[in-house]
Amino acid sequence: MNPTLSELEARATRHKAAFGGDAHIVCDNLVRIYKTEGVEVVALQGLDLLIDKGELVAIVGASGSGKSTLLNVLSGLDVPTAGVARVAGLDLLSMSARDRLRYRRSVVGFIWQQTARNLLPYLSAAENVELPMKLAGKKRERRAAELLDLLGVGYCANRKAAEMSGGEQQRVAIAVALANSPQLILADEPTGELDSETSEQVFEALRRANRELGVTAVIVTHDPLVSEQVDRTVGIRDGRTSSETLRREDAEGQIIAEEYAVLDRVGRLQLPRDFMSALHLERRVRLELETDHIGVWPAREEPSSD
Ligand SMILES: Nc1ncnc2c1ncn2[C@@H]1O[C@H](COP(=O)(O)OP(=O)(O)OP(=O)(O)O)[C@@H](O)[C@H]1O
Ligand SMILES: [Mg+2]
């Protein structure tokens, strides 16, 4: 018997509710189109992403793939063109200006790549951490000194930005981002201006914030070694999530990083570029369903018509 209309509707909503469920961050078919001088750039082309509460996730991808665009959307700085973006149950598309301000002050913390952009130069480290607490009119739940200690820069409390190294400034910036006990911190290439040893310390500080305070952390990075230090690395290509690297321990306690291609809900996946070029795959491929895998072959040569 054919399902009735209400049964179909119920099924559709069930499906909708299922995507994301109680994930902390839900991006569903996220689209962001920039229009400049009549030219449209599709920076996000239907991006899907789910992140659980307390996860530490790295975002990697080529320049121009949409990483900063995604982070700007999640931080409430930018509004996507279409799709769903939800953080901690809050809808980032329909949010009022007032809620957006509150969201940016108390739900999310942000760390920029440019060290100079994160701290006010005429305030000490401790004063920089206290400033967002004052702006939010919050009682100081956690003292600035404790946060600076947690991130290993307690000794910088009375120093101004110019009196700290780049790495120290970034660790203070993490404390500033954590000042109002956000549920989520976002960092766009926080170690982009640092050498590898200093980067390591900044990463350790982010990991510690994630572990000790339970804050969800999403970090954009170019560092290829990062996937060994985070739970999950999400690769973005052309404005879509294309791969995920999961870290797990094997039976002998060795850390293994396994890379997966991301399959979206309608069955699309991106084949790695080097796989495609190795077999000259373009436009069409032949698929065959086997008992435990799917084979992908180059299309048969069409006899040319001329
Ligand atoms: N404000 C803007 N106006 C117009 N186009 C933009 C704007 N911001 C980003 N874009 C375009 O959107 C695309 C994605 O940009 P985005 O900054 O998200 O890339 P990214 O992955 O962060 O790159 P990078 O690694 O270089 O920082 C690019 O093609 C970029 O040129
Ligand atoms: Mg960027």
Side-chain angles (χ1 to χ4, degrees):
M1 207 177 78
N2 285 336
T4 65
L5 190 58
S6 57
E7 274 166 358
L8 282 175
E9 269 176 3
R11 248 186 244 172
T13 22
R14 219 172 21 242
H15 186 62
K16 241 185 174 152
F19 186 75
D22 54 359
H24 202 200
I25 300 178
V26 179
C27 296
D28 185 3
N29 215 352
L30 203 56
V31 175
R32 177 63 170 106
I33 301 172
Y34 291 112
K35 285 199 186 87
T36 36
E37 292 158 21
V39 183
E40 286 192 354
V41 177
V42 189
L44 300 178
Q45 323 207 13
L47 178 139
D48 294 333
L49 178 66
L50 297 178
I51 293 178
D52 285 332
K53 198 164 172 49
E55 253 194 296
L56 172 61
V57 173
I59 307 269
V60 298
S63 179
S65 55
K67 305 181 298 292
S68 296
T69 305
L70 171 65
L71 241 58
N72 287 342
V73 167
L74 294 179
S75 68
L77 278 171
D78 187 28
V79 186
T81 313
V84 173
R86 226 168 35 232
V87 175
L90 302 165
D91 181 350
L92 298 181
L93 273 90
S94 65
M95 198 176 254
S96 69
R98 198 152 149 230
D99 287 344
R100 190 169 291 279
L101 187 65
R102 201 173 311 145
Y103 173 77
R104 291 183 44 202
R105 276 191 185 151
S106 328
V107 182
V108 68
F110 201 89
I111 300 130
W112 300 95
Q113 173 179 351
Q114 300 87 343
T115 46
R117 205 166 164 181
N118 289 314
L119 304 176
L120 287 173
Y122 51 85
L123 295 182
S124 70
E127 288 165 342
N128 264 290
V129 180
E130 280 160 9
L131 186 66
M133 300 175 177
K134 283 186 190 148
L135 287 176
K138 271 200 177 175
K139 274 199 299 214
R140 294 181 203 173
E141 292 172 32
R142 215 178 282 118
R143 291 207 328 280
E146 281 172 41
L147 277 175
L148 292 171
D149 274 342
L150 176 73
L151 304 174
V153 280
Y155 62 93
C156 294
N158 297 317
R159 295 196 204 171
K160 299 203 168 92
E163 298 159 343
M164 294 184 267
S165 72
E168 286 165 347
Q169 289 179 52
Q170 287 305 68
R171 284 186 281 160
V172 173
I174 300 170
V176 173
L178 292 168
N180 286 329
S181 314
Q183 302 191 32
L184 165 69
I185 49 172
L186 303 167
D188 195 349
E189 302 197 39
T191 62
E193 290 183 351
L194 308 175
D195 61 42
S196 57
E197 200 175 314
T198 320
S199 300
E200 185 80 24
Q201 293 171 348
V202 172
F203 250 100
E204 177 51 35
L206 285 164
R207 267 214 308 270
R208 197 177 284 178
N210 166 256
R211 234 180 12 235
E212 313 258 319
L213 306 175
V215 61
T216 309
V218 181
I219 303 155
V220 169
T221 177
H222 271 122
D223 187 345
L225 294 177
V226 158
S227 54
E228 291 167 16
Q229 307 185 23
V230 297
D231 309 324
R232 182 151 70 108
T233 305
V234 174
I236 295 193
R237 207 168 95 198
D238 299 331
R240 286 207 184 99
T241 44
S242 67
S243 67
E244 287 200 12
T245 306
L246 302 183
R247 206 184 59 135
R248 65 176 179 85
E249 267 181 45
D250 71 3
E252 278 101 59
Q254 298 266 31
I255 301 287
I256 326 178
E258 278 176 318
E259 186 170 332
Y260 295 84
V262 173
L263 186 66
D264 80 6
R265 275 181 294 159
V266 294
R268 275 182 297 230
L269 63 77
Q270 290 189 353
L271 297 174
R273 274 212 179 101
D274 45 340
F275 286 22
M276 288 169 64
S277 52
L279 296 181
H280 307 291
L281 302 179
E282 42 183 50
R283 279 201 5 100
R284 268 196 286 265
V285 293
R286 215 154 39 78
L287 300 180
E288 252 167 58
L289 180 63
E290 307 288 345
T291 45
D292 61 348
H293 71 279
I294 294 168
V296 181
W297 280 268
R300 284 193 193 88
E301 292 282 323
E302 304 267 333
S304 78
S305 52
D306 47 30

